[in-house]
Structure formats: C-alpha cells, structure tokens
C-alpha cells in the first residue's frame, strides 16, 4: 500500500443519533483522521484514531495569527446502500489552493482521497439513510508550532472529522430573504476570499448577525472596492436568471470557487442555457428587476446544494423575486444535482466516486 494509514479502533462506540433530529454539525462519528507535518520530515504518521479532543500548545501559531483552512463535502447513501462522494478530487485541489495562500504545506491529493475513503469506509454505518440526509465531511488544517513570532508555522495538523447531518430542507425548500450588505465586506482581491480560510468566516459573522436582526436570513456581499458588484451570498456562490440567461460573478480573486458553482455552470451549458460569468452590479440587477427581467435567483454550496432567493433588501428597495416561489430552473438544478449525488440518475460527467 502506498500510504500506510494506521487504524486504532475505539473500544467504546457511541450511540447513533436518531436521523430525524440530526441538524447540522452537532454529532460526530467514532473516529477521525489525523496527520502531522514538520518542516524536517514533511507529512507523516497518517492515522485513524478514536474521535477525541486535540492537545494544543497555548502558543500554537493558529491561535494567534490564524493559519487555518478547511474543506466541506458530503457522503451520500443511495437507496441500494452504496456510499457516494461528489467530486472529492476538487476538494483536494482546493485544500491545496487554500494552503498555498496561507503559506501552509500542500498535501498529496491521492493520500487525501485515500484518507477519506478509509475513514468513511470505517464509519459507513454513520451515513444516515433518509433521503436528503448525509455524512458531512470536514477536513481542516492548522498551524501547531508554539511560537509567537509572526511567520509561517513549521508544523501543522491535518484532521478529518465526520458528522451525520439532517436534510437541509427538512421542512421543504423555501426561498430565503437576503440583505444586500453595503457596510461590511467579506473579501477583497489580493486577500483570501478565493481560499477556504477560517478567518474569512470570522470576518463575516458581524454582518450575518446584523442581517438576522433585520429579519433576513443571509447577506449578499458586494465587492470591497466600489461596493457595487455582486460577489457571493453568505457562504454560497450566487446566480441570477435574467431574461433567459444566467449570470454569476467571475472568479477574480475575492470569490470562492465553489464546486457546486462549477457543477451548476456545467449543467446549464449542457442544457444549452447561456451562462455569463461576468461582473454584475447591484444597479444593473435592480434595473433588470424593475423591467420584470429578473426571473430567478439562487445560491449554491455543498450544504444546501441550491438555495432559492425570494427577497433582496437593498437600501430602501424590497425586491421580490419570482413571487417568492421556487423558480423552474432552480428546481431543475436542485433535482439534477441531488439526483446524481444520491445515485438516482445517471452521472454522465464522472462526478461520482463510490466508497467501497
Ligand atoms: C465553501 C464555500 C462556497 C461553496 O463551495 P462548494 O464547493 O460549492 O461547497 C461558496 N462560498 C464560500 C465563501 C465558501 O466558503
């Protein structure tokens, strides 16, 4: 075997939660994957061990200067009991993209995939059965060297934990209300917006809280320089169907390249629907709206897959999209992607990887 991942099994397995009350990210499986990095010997000691707290030196660099990145993906159980991953090699590539931005070491993508397969295979019983539920996979990497000088750490940990999660749309898919954020920004070109950096999330919490207090579920981020161009919605990429064409902001450095985004663009082009990866200002979107040309709006990401947008609150404007109903294209994209993910419809794109 090219990568000897050692396995230490727990002798005390947890009771599995009822799949009807899983929620998101509250329960964790019996085991986790851990691997260490040091400047002298590189990545070493890949291992699966019982799920447990990690020991960390109080001077560990991650706690002070924030070298921390993560990934998010899911394993799905099919009705004939196979376990499927969706484009996991993309997560491996993006983990390395994020690592490079924070001066963290890259990992062998094959080893990463092998770690995923081995861990999920061991934890197979934790993949819930109900349609819509899944096993959420959270790989993350952080700086462990005890040192207070400002420089890249010379040691790191890569950890993968698994969490059974409930159906995102347990009460049925419902269009969300979004506050267009004009005060705070999420990311700026040249910064870390294109990478899955933990600090990006810390920086977004305040705007999210303020939007909540105003009765919105999420924020729509505008560009940090002109406060004009649409970037993302919460931690999802965003799409607008305008007059038969679909618009989404281009990946120019401040936007996270979502794997769901890439898959949606693929499907749309396959279906012959024009996709424009072009800058779109809030003013232009508003003009399209007043002309009755804004047909659908939705966010995309691993957690929700597709999330329809029913209302956009922008300054004094209250924009109601598609009568707050789920759009036809939004529904078709959701049905197709989840159908492929749960192995219910054919995958002509080679997106599905089965865990043996
Ligand atoms: C993870 C993430 C997304 C969605 O990416 P997927 O690969 O589709 O899950 C979008 N925006 C931000 C800021 C993210 O962190």
């Amino acid at each position: 075997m090219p990568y000897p991942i050692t396995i230490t099994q727990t002798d005390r397995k947890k009771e599995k939660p009822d799949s009807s009350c899983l929620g998101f990210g509250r329960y964790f499986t019996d085991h986790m994957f851990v691997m260490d990095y040091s400047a002298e010997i590189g990545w070493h000691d890949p291992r699966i061990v019982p799920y447990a707290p990690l020991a960390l030196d109080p001077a560990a660099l991650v706690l002070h200067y924030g070298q921390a990145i993560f990934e998010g993906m899911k394993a799905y159980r099919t009705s004939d009991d196979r376990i499927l991953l969706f484009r996991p090699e993309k997560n491996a590539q993006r983990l390395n993209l994020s690592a490079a931005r924070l001066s963290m070491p890259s990992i062998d993508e094959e080893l990463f995939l092998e770690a995923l397969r081995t861990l999920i295979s061991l934890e197979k019983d934790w993949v819930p059965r109900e349609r819509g539920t899944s096993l959420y996979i959270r790989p993350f990497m952080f700086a462990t060297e005890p040192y207070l000088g400002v420089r890249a750490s010379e040691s790191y940990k890569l950890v993968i934990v698994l969490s059974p999660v409930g159906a995102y749309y347990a009460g049925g898919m419902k269009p969300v209300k979004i506050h267009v954020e004009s005060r705070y920004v999420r990311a700026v070109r040249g910064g870390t917006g294109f990478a899955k950096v933990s600090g990006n999330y810390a920086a977004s919490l305040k705007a999210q809280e303020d939007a909540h207090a105003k009765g919105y579920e999420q924020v729509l981020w505008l560009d940090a320089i002109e406060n004009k161009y649409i970037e993302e919605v919460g931690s999802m990429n965003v799409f607008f169907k305008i007059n038969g064409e679909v618009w989404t902001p281009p990946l120019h450095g401040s936007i996270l390249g979502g794997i769901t985004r890439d898959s949606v663009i693929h499907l749309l082009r396959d279906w012959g629907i024009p996709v424009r990866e072009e800058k779109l200002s809030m003013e232009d979107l508003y003009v399209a709206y007043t002309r009755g040309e804004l047909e659908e709006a939705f966010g995309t990401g691993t957690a929700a897959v597709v999330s329809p947008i029913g209302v956009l609150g922008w300054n004094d404007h209250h924009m109601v999209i598609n009568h707050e109903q789920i759009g036809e294209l939004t529904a078709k994209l959701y049905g197709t992607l989840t159908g492929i993910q749960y192995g219910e419809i054919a995958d002509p794109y080679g997106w599905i990887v089965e865990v043996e």
Side-chain angles (χ1 to χ4, degrees), residues 17-24 26-27 166:
D18 193 283
S19 70
S20 63
C21 50
L22 289 171
F24 180 82
R26 289 192 285 131
Y27 301 98

Side-chain angles (χ1 to χ4, degrees), residues 93 117 133-134 220 255 283 290 304 306 326 355:
Q93 289 163 11
R117 284 192 293 261
T133 64
S134 58
L220 182 79
I255 293 170
E283 277 105 338
T290 56
V306 171
I326 301 162
V355 177

Side-chain angles (χ1 to χ4, degrees), residues 174-210:
K174 199 168 140 277
V176 290
K177 294 186 171 59
I178 302 291
H179 171 67
V180 181
E181 180 58 56
S182 306
R183 177 155 169 226
Y184 300 106
V185 296
R186 189 191 84 91
V188 64
R189 209 187 286 189
T192 58
F194 67 96
K196 231 167 161 69
V197 165
S198 304
N200 292 345
Y201 280 69
S204 75
L205 299 176
K206 185 66 181 144
Q208 169 76 35
E209 281 177 6
D210 289 4

Side-chain angles (χ1 to χ4, degrees), residues 7 19 42 119 141 163 290 316:
I7 301 177
S19 70
L119 181 64
M141 192 200 295
S163 171
T290 56
D316 297 331

Side-chain angles (χ1 to χ4, degrees), residues 37-344:
Y37 175 92
S38 68
E40 310 85 70
I41 48 176
W43 287 110
H44 58 277
D45 203 8
R47 58 199 186 274
I48 288 170
V49 293
Y51 186 97
L54 299 162
L56 205 58
D57 193 292
L61 275 163
V62 65
L63 301 176
H64 304 274
Y65 311 124
Q67 270 182 298
I69 58 172
F70 68 98
E71 270 303 319
M73 52 203 298
K74 285 174 170 177
Y76 308 87
R77 188 186 290 276
T78 68
S79 56
D80 58 350
D81 251 1
R82 292 176 303 130
I83 309 287
L84 307 181
L85 298 175
F86 184 71
R87 310 185 77 184
E89 69 288 349
K90 288 273 172 201
N91 296 93
Q93 289 163 11
R94 191 169 64 191
L95 186 67
N96 278 336
L97 181 86
S98 302
R101 178 62 184 82
L102 291 199
S103 300
M104 299 166 91
S106 65
I107 56 158
D108 183 324
E109 290 170 15
E110 267 312 308
L111 170 56
F112 177 78
L113 295 174
E114 181 65 21
L116 281 180
R117 284 192 293 261
T118 312
L119 181 64
I120 295 162
S121 184
L122 180 70
E123 304 286 60
K124 245 183 189 160
D125 289 349
W126 281 93
V127 186
R129 284 165 200 281
E130 267 82 336
R131 176 63 154 87
T133 64
S134 58
L135 186 67
Y136 187 78
I137 305 164
R138 169 51 58 87
F140 55 107
M141 192 200 295
F142 57 94
T144 53
E145 187 192 353
Y147 181 60
L148 294 183
V150 180
R151 62 151 168 76
S153 176
E154 291 187 348
S155 60
Y156 297 88
K157 255 188 173 39
L158 173 75
V159 182
I160 306 175
V161 296
L162 307 175
S163 171
V165 298
Y168 192 88
Y169 295 112
M173 184 189 263
K174 199 168 140 277
V176 290
K177 294 186 171 59
I178 302 291
H179 171 67
V180 181
E181 180 58 56
S182 306
R183 177 155 169 226
Y184 300 106
V185 296
R186 189 191 84 91
V188 64
R189 209 187 286 189
T192 58
F194 67 96
K196 231 167 161 69
V197 165
S198 304
N200 292 345
Y201 280 69
S204 75
L205 299 176
K206 185 66 181 144
Q208 169 76 35
E209 281 177 6
D210 289 4
H212 263 270
K214 290 183 195 123
Y216 295 97
E217 275 125 303
Q218 273 294 348
V219 298
L220 182 79
W221 300 106
L222 299 180
D223 79 278
I225 294 166
E226 296 180 72
N227 224 257
K228 188 172 164 186
Y229 297 102
I230 292 164
E231 299 233 310
E232 296 198 56
V233 53
S235 52
M236 288 188 283
N237 295 115
V238 68
F239 290 78
F240 299 95
K241 180 161 175 263
I242 302 170
N243 220 359
E245 294 183 326
V246 176
W247 291 68
T248 195
L251 304 178
H252 279 167
S254 53
I255 293 170
L256 199 288
I259 295 161
T260 320
R261 174 188 183 277
D262 184 73
S263 308
V264 161
I265 291 172
H266 230 90
L267 288 177
L268 290 172
R269 295 208 164 125
D270 217 25
W271 295 343
I273 296 166
V275 182
R276 299 176 66 163
E277 286 184 74
E278 290 167 33
K279 278 164 63 160
L280 175 64
S281 69
M282 210 39 226
E283 277 105 338
D284 287 346
L285 185 74
Y286 188 69
V287 168
Y289 171 74
T290 56
R291 287 186 185 147
E293 293 177 353
L294 174 54
E295 294 156 356
E296 299 183 32
F298 56 92
T300 67
T302 296
V305 184
V306 171
S307 177
I309 297 171
V311 171
L312 283 176
W314 179 46
N315 300 327
D316 297 331
H317 306 299
H318 182 80
M319 302 161 61
V320 178
I321 301 164
N322 195 33
H323 313 286
E324 280 190 81
Q325 300 299 308
I326 301 162
E328 203 180 307
L329 188 62
T330 307
K332 186 176 174 192
L333 285 163
Y334 179 77
T336 305
L337 277 173
T338 55
I340 291 173
Q341 288 165 341
Y342 285 92
E344 294 160 354

